[in-house]
Amino acid sequence: MLETARRYRRDGISPVKTVRDLLSAIEVEPYNAFISYDEEGALLVAEKAERAIEKGSEEPLLGLPIAVKDNICTKDLPTTCASNILADFAPTYDAYVIERLKVRGAVIIGKTNLDEFAMGSTTTTSCKGPTKNPWDITRTPGGSSGGSAAAVAAGLCAGALGSDTGGSVRMPASFCGITGLKPTYGTVSRYGLVAFASSLDQIGPMTRTARDAAVLFDAIRGHDPQDSTSLVEGYAPLSLNGHDLTGVRIGVPRAFFGEGLAHDVERSVRYAQGVFEELGATIVEVELPHLAYGVAVYYIICTAEASSNLARYDGVRYGYRAGAATLIDTYLNTRTQGFNAEVKRRIMLGTYVLSAGYYDQYYRKASQVRSLIVKDFAGAFEHCDMLLGPTTPCTAFGLGEMLDDPLSLYLLDIYTIPANLAGLPAISIPCGFGDTGLPCGLQLMAPALREDLLLGASIAFQDVTNFHQVRP
Ligand code: GLN
């Protein structure tokens, strides 16, 4: 992003030409990263930006082509959630984050592919077909924001927005070798983000570099009265300078390096740990005793919330409606035909864990363990300023792999889920390459509202490494 902004000014590159070239590339892109794009709208904004830049405007976002995950509402443009049930849905309003980007003159270049309703880790459960990883098109880009990650990695946009409920920004960032930030819960308005699990969902930037992530995050964060969970204050100022890591204590949770972590990912993460030590940080070992329960807790809470949030797609209020003779058959046919198998599985699981006889056993219990995980982090942050570990247990795997094994897929979220359960900020940055030459991701986590620390440390890391500059 910053590089594109610089080229517009320093080299006199035309935003209109840049956007036009990208639209042509998107039309024929082989990754299926995009679901739709708005040529006319994008060019119109690019023209305005070009004039403003000619007049000397220094606004960094002017004319920058930004891709947006297709579960974020864009006025009068399709917002499908990659689901047949919203195939023809075009919102009458912009999400808060889109308004923010438009005010700054950014170009919404297109809407990107995702797992249906952001439920998944592969971007293969989309009703629009799978997205392919630009590093190897036989492999998954990760998910659910796989379209945004692929678009950034392939250079089809300057930056992108994704949503992260249990890792959907960080995991595809890790698989595609880019930077992805899951902000503190409440710092980015969810107004206009199609709800999956409201207590966990958060929109985040996906970019090539941590500096770009800081610029994009700064543009979309802030208090929004339209979201009752939006934080009013506490936003730390962000800097584009690397954070001085002298004396900064980085906690390495033992549980993050246990069974199931691929040795090539571990090697890269340990290398990164060494880089941070060279930069002056002190490594301390910490415990997160309840980490092992994270996945179970998450899949109870997120399905419970999803079952409630997705009740609105009934064929009556809006979206797809199946033909039927009676009202009850309209509901049944609409939902059977409109949702894919994974979404239906989650609605059923969620309905079950909330049902009268099982609420105490599942939902209440999960909420209690969630509190313990929150306490684990508070305890860990008494001994350190940040946490470091892998983003995912492995690198990108084959497109068809594990699809018939939802439990194994759920386990891939083990390292990313805790930050969502605790509402904490977390970032994934490229930290090396695995045995098959595919990118590995490093995850850093910080106390609430300390994105400045995460981004500052990532910038410092990227100033002395070049993993983020290698292109597929
Ligand atoms: N992979 C996780 C899931 O399937 C995370 C999804 C997300 O963050 N949107 O729920």
Side-chain angles (χ1 to χ4, degrees), residues 90-144:
T92 54
Y93 65 99
D94 277 324
Y96 175 82
V97 292
I98 301 296
E99 276 173 22
R100 299 297 308 148
L101 291 181
K102 285 187 174 171
V103 169
R104 307 279 297 270
V107 177
I108 306 301
I109 191 92
K111 303 295 292 288
T112 57
N113 205 3
L114 63 151
D115 285 295
E116 184 167 329
F117 281 103
M119 299 177 187
S121 309
T122 56
T123 317
T124 56
T125 72
S126 160
C127 78
K128 309 285 182 185
T131 294
K132 296 162 188 147
N133 191 321
W135 291 85
D136 175 351
I137 57 166
T138 68
R139 293 176 193 261
T140 169
S144 63

Short mmCIF file of all heavy atoms in Angstrom, two decimals, residues 90-144:
data_model
loop_
_atom_site.label_atom_id
_atom_site.label_comp_id
_atom_site.label_asym_id
_atom_site.label_seq_id
_atom_site.Cartn_x
_atom_site.Cartn_y
_atom_site.Cartn_z
N ALA A 90 -27.83 -7.37 -2.42
CA ALA A 90 -27.00 -6.18 -2.54
C ALA A 90 -27.48 -5.21 -1.45
O ALA A 90 -28.59 -4.69 -1.53
CB ALA A 90 -27.13 -5.55 -3.92
N PRO A 91 -26.66 -4.99 -0.43
CA PRO A 91 -27.07 -4.16 0.72
C PRO A 91 -27.41 -2.73 0.29
O PRO A 91 -26.89 -2.23 -0.71
CB PRO A 91 -25.85 -4.16 1.63
CG PRO A 91 -24.97 -5.25 1.16
CD PRO A 91 -25.28 -5.46 -0.28
N THR A 92 -28.24 -2.09 1.10
CA THR A 92 -28.60 -0.70 0.81
C THR A 92 -27.66 0.26 1.55
O THR A 92 -27.87 1.46 1.54
CB THR A 92 -30.04 -0.41 1.28
OG1 THR A 92 -30.13 -0.78 2.66
CG2 THR A 92 -31.05 -1.20 0.48
N TYR A 93 -26.66 -0.29 2.22
CA TYR A 93 -25.75 0.56 3.00
C TYR A 93 -24.34 -0.03 2.98
O TYR A 93 -24.16 -1.21 2.69
CB TYR A 93 -26.24 0.69 4.44
CG TYR A 93 -26.23 -0.62 5.20
CD1 TYR A 93 -25.20 -0.92 6.08
CD2 TYR A 93 -27.24 -1.56 5.02
CE1 TYR A 93 -25.17 -2.13 6.76
CE2 TYR A 93 -27.21 -2.77 5.70
CZ TYR A 93 -26.18 -3.05 6.56
OH TYR A 93 -26.14 -4.25 7.22
N ASP A 94 -23.38 0.83 3.31
CA ASP A 94 -21.99 0.39 3.45
C ASP A 94 -21.70 0.02 4.89
O ASP A 94 -22.19 0.68 5.81
CB ASP A 94 -21.03 1.55 3.07
CG ASP A 94 -20.80 1.65 1.58
OD1 ASP A 94 -20.76 0.60 0.92
OD2 ASP A 94 -20.68 2.80 1.07
N ALA A 95 -20.86 -1.00 5.09
CA ALA A 95 -20.34 -1.28 6.42
C ALA A 95 -19.54 -0.07 6.89
O ALA A 95 -19.03 0.70 6.07
CB ALA A 95 -19.44 -2.51 6.38
N TYR A 96 -19.40 0.07 8.21
CA TYR A 96 -18.63 1.18 8.77
C TYR A 96 -17.22 1.23 8.17
O TYR A 96 -16.74 2.30 7.78
CB TYR A 96 -18.56 1.03 10.30
CG TYR A 96 -17.70 2.06 10.97
CD1 TYR A 96 -18.20 3.32 11.26
CD2 TYR A 96 -16.38 1.78 11.33
CE1 TYR A 96 -17.41 4.27 11.89
CE2 TYR A 96 -15.58 2.72 11.95
CZ TYR A 96 -16.10 3.97 12.22
OH TYR A 96 -15.31 4.91 12.84
N VAL A 97 -16.58 0.06 8.05
CA VAL A 97 -15.20 0.06 7.54
C VAL A 97 -15.13 0.54 6.09
O VAL A 97 -14.15 1.17 5.68
CB VAL A 97 -14.54 -1.35 7.65
CG1 VAL A 97 -14.31 -1.73 9.10
CG2 VAL A 97 -15.37 -2.41 6.94
N ILE A 98 -16.17 0.25 5.32
CA ILE A 98 -16.20 0.68 3.92
C ILE A 98 -16.37 2.20 3.85
O ILE A 98 -15.69 2.89 3.09
CB ILE A 98 -17.34 -0.03 3.15
CG1 ILE A 98 -17.14 -1.55 3.20
CG2 ILE A 98 -17.44 0.46 1.71
CD1 ILE A 98 -15.89 -2.06 2.53
N GLU A 99 -17.27 2.71 4.72
CA GLU A 99 -17.44 4.17 4.79
C GLU A 99 -16.10 4.84 5.08
O GLU A 99 -15.73 5.83 4.47
CB GLU A 99 -18.39 4.54 5.93
CG GLU A 99 -19.85 4.49 5.60
CD GLU A 99 -20.69 4.72 6.87
OE1 GLU A 99 -20.17 5.30 7.85
OE2 GLU A 99 -21.85 4.27 6.88
N ARG A 100 -15.39 4.27 6.06
CA ARG A 100 -14.10 4.85 6.45
C ARG A 100 -13.12 4.86 5.26
O ARG A 100 -12.40 5.82 5.04
CB ARG A 100 -13.47 4.07 7.61
CG ARG A 100 -14.27 4.03 8.89
CD ARG A 100 -14.47 5.39 9.50
NE ARG A 100 -13.22 6.11 9.68
CZ ARG A 100 -13.09 7.42 9.61
NH1 ARG A 100 -14.15 8.17 9.37
NH2 ARG A 100 -11.92 7.99 9.80
N LEU A 101 -13.08 3.76 4.53
CA LEU A 101 -12.15 3.68 3.40
C LEU A 101 -12.55 4.66 2.30
O LEU A 101 -11.71 5.30 1.68
CB LEU A 101 -12.10 2.26 2.85
CG LEU A 101 -11.45 1.20 3.75
CD1 LEU A 101 -11.44 -0.15 3.06
CD2 LEU A 101 -10.02 1.61 4.12
N LYS A 102 -13.86 4.76 2.06
CA LYS A 102 -14.33 5.66 0.99
C LYS A 102 -14.01 7.11 1.31
O LYS A 102 -13.60 7.88 0.43
CB LYS A 102 -15.83 5.46 0.76
CG LYS A 102 -16.15 4.18 0.00
CD LYS A 102 -17.63 4.10 -0.35
CE LYS A 102 -17.94 2.89 -1.22
NZ LYS A 102 -19.40 2.69 -1.40
N VAL A 103 -14.21 7.49 2.59
CA VAL A 103 -13.93 8.87 2.99
C VAL A 103 -12.46 9.21 2.70
O VAL A 103 -12.14 10.34 2.32
CB VAL A 103 -14.22 9.05 4.50
CG1 VAL A 103 -13.69 10.38 5.01
CG2 VAL A 103 -15.70 8.94 4.78
N ARG A 104 -11.60 8.22 2.85
CA ARG A 104 -10.17 8.46 2.65
C ARG A 104 -9.76 8.33 1.17
O ARG A 104 -8.59 8.46 0.85
CB ARG A 104 -9.34 7.48 3.49
CG ARG A 104 -9.70 7.46 4.98
CD ARG A 104 -9.05 8.58 5.74
NE ARG A 104 -7.61 8.49 5.73
CZ ARG A 104 -6.86 7.84 6.62
NH1 ARG A 104 -7.44 7.22 7.62
NH2 ARG A 104 -5.55 7.83 6.52
N GLY A 105 -10.73 8.02 0.31
CA GLY A 105 -10.42 7.98 -1.12
C GLY A 105 -9.87 6.65 -1.63
O GLY A 105 -9.35 6.57 -2.74
N ALA A 106 -9.99 5.59 -0.82
CA ALA A 106 -9.53 4.27 -1.28
C ALA A 106 -10.49 3.72 -2.34
O ALA A 106 -11.67 4.06 -2.36
CB ALA A 106 -9.44 3.31 -0.11
N VAL A 107 -9.98 2.87 -3.20
CA VAL A 107 -10.79 2.26 -4.27
C VAL A 107 -11.18 0.85 -3.83
O VAL A 107 -10.30 0.03 -3.55
CB VAL A 107 -9.98 2.17 -5.58
CG1 VAL A 107 -10.79 1.48 -6.67
CG2 VAL A 107 -9.54 3.55 -6.03
N ILE A 108 -12.47 0.57 -3.74
CA ILE A 108 -12.89 -0.80 -3.43
C ILE A 108 -12.83 -1.57 -4.75
O ILE A 108 -13.68 -1.44 -5.62
CB ILE A 108 -14.33 -0.83 -2.85
CG1 ILE A 108 -14.45 0.11 -1.64
CG2 ILE A 108 -14.72 -2.27 -2.47
CD1 ILE A 108 -13.54 -0.16 -0.48
N ILE A 109 -11.76 -2.37 -4.88
CA ILE A 109 -11.48 -2.97 -6.18
C ILE A 109 -12.34 -4.21 -6.45
O ILE A 109 -12.61 -4.56 -7.59
CB ILE A 109 -9.96 -3.30 -6.31
CG1 ILE A 109 -9.59 -3.69 -7.74
CG2 ILE A 109 -9.51 -4.38 -5.37
CD1 ILE A 109 -9.15 -2.55 -8.58
N GLY A 110 -12.79 -4.88 -5.40
CA GLY A 110 -13.63 -6.06 -5.61
C GLY A 110 -13.91 -6.78 -4.32
O GLY A 110 -13.34 -6.44 -3.26
N LYS A 111 -14.80 -7.78 -4.40
CA LYS A 111 -15.20 -8.57 -3.24
C LYS A 111 -14.58 -9.96 -3.35
O LYS A 111 -14.62 -10.58 -4.42
CB LYS A 111 -16.73 -8.66 -3.18
CG LYS A 111 -17.44 -7.31 -3.14
CD LYS A 111 -17.17 -6.49 -1.88
CE LYS A 111 -17.76 -7.07 -0.62
NZ LYS A 111 -19.21 -6.98 -0.51
N THR A 112 -14.03 -10.43 -2.24
CA THR A 112 -13.24 -11.66 -2.32
C THR A 112 -13.94 -12.88 -1.74
O THR A 112 -14.84 -12.79 -0.91
CB THR A 112 -11.89 -11.47 -1.59
OG1 THR A 112 -12.16 -11.06 -0.25
CG2 THR A 112 -11.04 -10.42 -2.28
N ASN A 113 -13.46 -14.02 -2.20
CA ASN A 113 -14.04 -15.32 -1.88
C ASN A 113 -13.75 -15.72 -0.43
O ASN A 113 -12.76 -15.28 0.17
CB ASN A 113 -13.45 -16.36 -2.84
CG ASN A 113 -14.37 -17.56 -3.03
OD1 ASN A 113 -15.49 -17.61 -2.49
ND2 ASN A 113 -13.91 -18.53 -3.79
N LEU A 114 -14.60 -16.57 0.11
CA LEU A 114 -14.49 -17.01 1.50
C LEU A 114 -15.18 -18.35 1.65
O LEU A 114 -15.94 -18.77 0.76
CB LEU A 114 -15.14 -15.99 2.44
CG LEU A 114 -16.65 -15.75 2.30
CD1 LEU A 114 -17.25 -15.32 3.62
CD2 LEU A 114 -16.95 -14.68 1.25
N ASP A 115 -14.94 -19.02 2.77
CA ASP A 115 -15.77 -20.16 3.11
C ASP A 115 -17.17 -19.62 3.40
O ASP A 115 -17.30 -18.55 4.00
CB ASP A 115 -15.22 -20.86 4.36
CG ASP A 115 -13.97 -21.66 4.05
OD1 ASP A 115 -14.08 -22.64 3.30
OD2 ASP A 115 -12.89 -21.31 4.57
N GLU A 116 -18.19 -20.35 2.99
CA GLU A 116 -19.55 -19.85 3.16
C GLU A 116 -19.77 -19.34 4.59
O GLU A 116 -19.51 -20.04 5.56
CB GLU A 116 -20.55 -20.96 2.82
CG GLU A 116 -21.99 -20.47 2.90
CD GLU A 116 -23.00 -21.43 2.27
OE1 GLU A 116 -22.66 -22.13 1.31
OE2 GLU A 116 -24.14 -21.47 2.77
N PHE A 117 -20.23 -18.10 4.70
CA PHE A 117 -20.48 -17.43 5.98
C PHE A 117 -19.25 -17.42 6.88
O PHE A 117 -19.37 -17.37 8.11
CB PHE A 117 -21.69 -18.03 6.71
CG PHE A 117 -23.00 -17.53 6.16
CD1 PHE A 117 -23.76 -18.31 5.32
CD2 PHE A 117 -23.43 -16.24 6.45
CE1 PHE A 117 -24.94 -17.84 4.78
CE2 PHE A 117 -24.63 -15.75 5.93
CZ PHE A 117 -25.38 -16.56 5.09
N ALA A 118 -18.06 -17.48 6.29
CA ALA A 118 -16.78 -17.42 7.03
C ALA A 118 -16.57 -18.63 7.94
O ALA A 118 -15.83 -18.57 8.90
CB ALA A 118 -16.67 -16.12 7.83
N MET A 119 -17.26 -19.73 7.64
CA MET A 119 -17.11 -20.94 8.46
C MET A 119 -16.20 -21.91 7.74
O MET A 119 -16.63 -22.63 6.84
CB MET A 119 -18.47 -21.59 8.68
CG MET A 119 -19.44 -20.69 9.42
SD MET A 119 -21.04 -21.46 9.58
CE MET A 119 -21.97 -20.11 10.28
N GLY A 120 -14.93 -21.91 8.13
CA GLY A 120 -14.01 -22.84 7.51
C GLY A 120 -12.58 -22.35 7.57
O GLY A 120 -12.30 -21.25 8.05
N SER A 121 -11.67 -23.19 7.10
CA SER A 121 -10.24 -22.89 7.16
C SER A 121 -9.57 -23.13 5.82
O SER A 121 -8.35 -23.26 5.75
CB SER A 121 -9.57 -23.77 8.21
OG SER A 121 -10.27 -23.70 9.42
N THR A 122 -10.35 -23.21 4.75
CA THR A 122 -9.76 -23.61 3.46
C THR A 122 -10.21 -22.77 2.26
O THR A 122 -9.62 -22.85 1.20
CB THR A 122 -10.14 -25.07 3.15
OG1 THR A 122 -11.57 -25.18 3.17
CG2 THR A 122 -9.55 -26.04 4.16
N THR A 123 -11.29 -21.99 2.41
CA THR A 123 -11.92 -21.29 1.28
C THR A 123 -12.31 -22.28 0.17
O THR A 123 -12.26 -21.96 -1.01
CB THR A 123 -11.04 -20.14 0.74
OG1 THR A 123 -10.49 -19.42 1.86
CG2 THR A 123 -11.82 -19.14 -0.09
N THR A 124 -12.68 -23.48 0.58
CA THR A 124 -13.17 -24.45 -0.41
C THR A 124 -14.66 -24.68 -0.25
O THR A 124 -15.28 -25.31 -1.10
CB THR A 124 -12.46 -25.82 -0.27
OG1 THR A 124 -12.64 -26.27 1.06
CG2 THR A 124 -10.98 -25.72 -0.57
N THR A 125 -15.27 -24.19 0.83
CA THR A 125 -16.70 -24.44 1.02
C THR A 125 -17.55 -23.29 0.47
O THR A 125 -18.71 -23.15 0.79
CB THR A 125 -17.06 -24.66 2.51
OG1 THR A 125 -16.97 -23.40 3.20
CG2 THR A 125 -16.12 -25.65 3.17
N SER A 126 -16.94 -22.46 -0.37
CA SER A 126 -17.66 -21.37 -1.02
C SER A 126 -18.59 -21.91 -2.10
O SER A 126 -18.21 -22.83 -2.83
CB SER A 126 -16.63 -20.43 -1.67
OG SER A 126 -17.23 -19.65 -2.67
N CYS A 127 -19.76 -21.32 -2.24
CA CYS A 127 -20.66 -21.75 -3.32
C CYS A 127 -20.12 -21.29 -4.68
O CYS A 127 -20.64 -21.66 -5.72
CB CYS A 127 -22.08 -21.25 -3.09
SG CYS A 127 -22.31 -19.52 -3.51
N LYS A 128 -19.07 -20.48 -4.66
CA LYS A 128 -18.45 -20.01 -5.91
C LYS A 128 -17.24 -20.85 -6.28
O LYS A 128 -16.46 -20.47 -7.14
CB LYS A 128 -18.00 -18.55 -5.75
CG LYS A 128 -19.07 -17.62 -5.24
CD LYS A 128 -20.10 -17.30 -6.30
CE LYS A 128 -21.14 -16.33 -5.74
NZ LYS A 128 -22.22 -16.07 -6.67
N GLY A 129 -17.01 -21.94 -5.57
CA GLY A 129 -15.85 -22.78 -5.85
C GLY A 129 -14.65 -22.33 -5.03
O GLY A 129 -14.65 -21.23 -4.48
N PRO A 130 -13.63 -23.20 -4.94
CA PRO A 130 -12.48 -22.93 -4.08
C PRO A 130 -11.57 -21.82 -4.59
O PRO A 130 -11.48 -21.60 -5.80
CB PRO A 130 -11.72 -24.25 -4.06
CG PRO A 130 -12.10 -24.93 -5.33
CD PRO A 130 -13.51 -24.50 -5.62
N THR A 131 -10.91 -21.13 -3.68
CA THR A 131 -9.80 -20.23 -4.04
C THR A 131 -8.52 -21.05 -3.98
O THR A 131 -8.38 -21.96 -3.17
CB THR A 131 -9.73 -19.05 -3.05
OG1 THR A 131 -10.90 -18.27 -3.20
CG2 THR A 131 -8.51 -18.17 -3.33
N LYS A 132 -7.59 -20.73 -4.89
CA LYS A 132 -6.33 -21.46 -4.94
C LYS A 132 -5.20 -20.60 -4.40
O LYS A 132 -5.19 -19.38 -4.56
CB LYS A 132 -6.03 -21.86 -6.39
CG LYS A 132 -7.09 -22.83 -6.89
CD LYS A 132 -7.12 -22.94 -8.39
CE LYS A 132 -8.32 -23.77 -8.78
NZ LYS A 132 -8.89 -23.35 -10.05
N ASN A 133 -4.23 -21.25 -3.79
CA ASN A 133 -3.09 -20.55 -3.19
C ASN A 133 -2.11 -20.11 -4.28
O ASN A 133 -1.62 -20.94 -5.04
CB ASN A 133 -2.39 -21.49 -2.19
CG ASN A 133 -1.38 -20.77 -1.34
OD1 ASN A 133 -0.66 -19.89 -1.81
ND2 ASN A 133 -1.32 -21.13 -0.07
N PRO A 134 -1.82 -18.82 -4.38
CA PRO A 134 -0.90 -18.35 -5.44
C PRO A 134 0.49 -18.98 -5.37
O PRO A 134 1.21 -18.98 -6.37
CB PRO A 134 -0.82 -16.84 -5.19
CG PRO A 134 -2.06 -16.50 -4.45
CD PRO A 134 -2.39 -17.70 -3.62
N TRP A 135 0.88 -19.52 -4.21
CA TRP A 135 2.19 -20.17 -4.10
C TRP A 135 2.18 -21.53 -4.77
O TRP A 135 3.25 -22.05 -5.14
CB TRP A 135 2.61 -20.32 -2.64
CG TRP A 135 2.93 -19.01 -2.00
CD1 TRP A 135 2.03 -18.15 -1.42
CD2 TRP A 135 4.21 -18.39 -1.91
NE1 TRP A 135 2.70 -17.04 -0.97
CE2 TRP A 135 4.03 -17.17 -1.24
CE3 TRP A 135 5.50 -18.77 -2.30
CZ2 TRP A 135 5.08 -16.31 -0.98
CZ3 TRP A 135 6.55 -17.91 -2.03
CH2 TRP A 135 6.34 -16.69 -1.38
N ASP A 136 1.02 -22.13 -4.86
CA ASP A 136 0.87 -23.46 -5.45
C ASP A 136 -0.62 -23.68 -5.64
O ASP A 136 -1.35 -23.90 -4.66
CB ASP A 136 1.47 -24.52 -4.50
CG ASP A 136 1.23 -25.94 -5.00
OD1 ASP A 136 0.47 -26.12 -5.97
OD2 ASP A 136 1.82 -26.87 -4.40
N ILE A 137 -1.06 -23.62 -6.88
CA ILE A 137 -2.51 -23.60 -7.10
C ILE A 137 -3.18 -24.95 -6.83
O ILE A 137 -4.39 -25.05 -6.90
CB ILE A 137 -2.89 -23.10 -8.52
CG1 ILE A 137 -2.22 -23.96 -9.58
CG2 ILE A 137 -2.55 -21.63 -8.71
CD1 ILE A 137 -2.83 -23.74 -10.96
N THR A 138 -2.40 -25.96 -6.46
CA THR A 138 -3.05 -27.21 -6.05
C THR A 138 -3.36 -27.18 -4.55
O THR A 138 -3.91 -28.12 -4.01
CB THR A 138 -2.16 -28.43 -6.34
OG1 THR A 138 -1.01 -28.39 -5.46
CG2 THR A 138 -1.69 -28.45 -7.78
N ARG A 139 -2.98 -26.10 -3.88
CA ARG A 139 -3.17 -26.03 -2.43
C ARG A 139 -4.16 -24.96 -1.99
O ARG A 139 -4.40 -24.00 -2.72
CB ARG A 139 -1.82 -25.78 -1.74
CG ARG A 139 -0.88 -26.95 -1.89
CD ARG A 139 0.46 -26.65 -1.28
NE ARG A 139 1.42 -27.64 -1.69
CZ ARG A 139 1.79 -28.68 -0.93
NH1 ARG A 139 1.28 -28.83 0.26
NH2 ARG A 139 2.65 -29.56 -1.39
N THR A 140 -4.66 -25.13 -0.79
CA THR A 140 -5.59 -24.17 -0.21
C THR A 140 -4.84 -22.89 0.21
O THR A 140 -3.69 -22.98 0.65
CB THR A 140 -6.32 -24.77 1.01
OG1 THR A 140 -7.02 -23.72 1.71
CG2 THR A 140 -5.34 -25.40 2.00
N PRO A 141 -5.51 -21.74 0.10
CA PRO A 141 -4.92 -20.50 0.62
C PRO A 141 -5.18 -20.36 2.12
O PRO A 141 -4.79 -19.35 2.71
CB PRO A 141 -5.67 -19.42 -0.17
CG PRO A 141 -7.03 -20.01 -0.39
CD PRO A 141 -6.82 -21.51 -0.55
N GLY A 142 -5.85 -21.35 2.72
CA GLY A 142 -6.32 -21.18 4.10
C GLY A 142 -7.65 -20.46 4.08
O GLY A 142 -8.15 -20.07 3.02
N GLY A 143 -8.24 -20.30 5.24
CA GLY A 143 -9.55 -19.66 5.24
C GLY A 143 -9.89 -19.15 6.64
O GLY A 143 -9.11 -19.30 7.56
N SER A 144 -11.00 -18.45 6.73
CA SER A 144 -11.96 -18.31 5.66
C SER A 144 -11.69 -17.12 4.74
O SER A 144 -12.29 -17.05 3.67
CB SER A 144 -13.37 -18.19 6.26
OG SER A 144 -13.46 -17.02 7.06
#
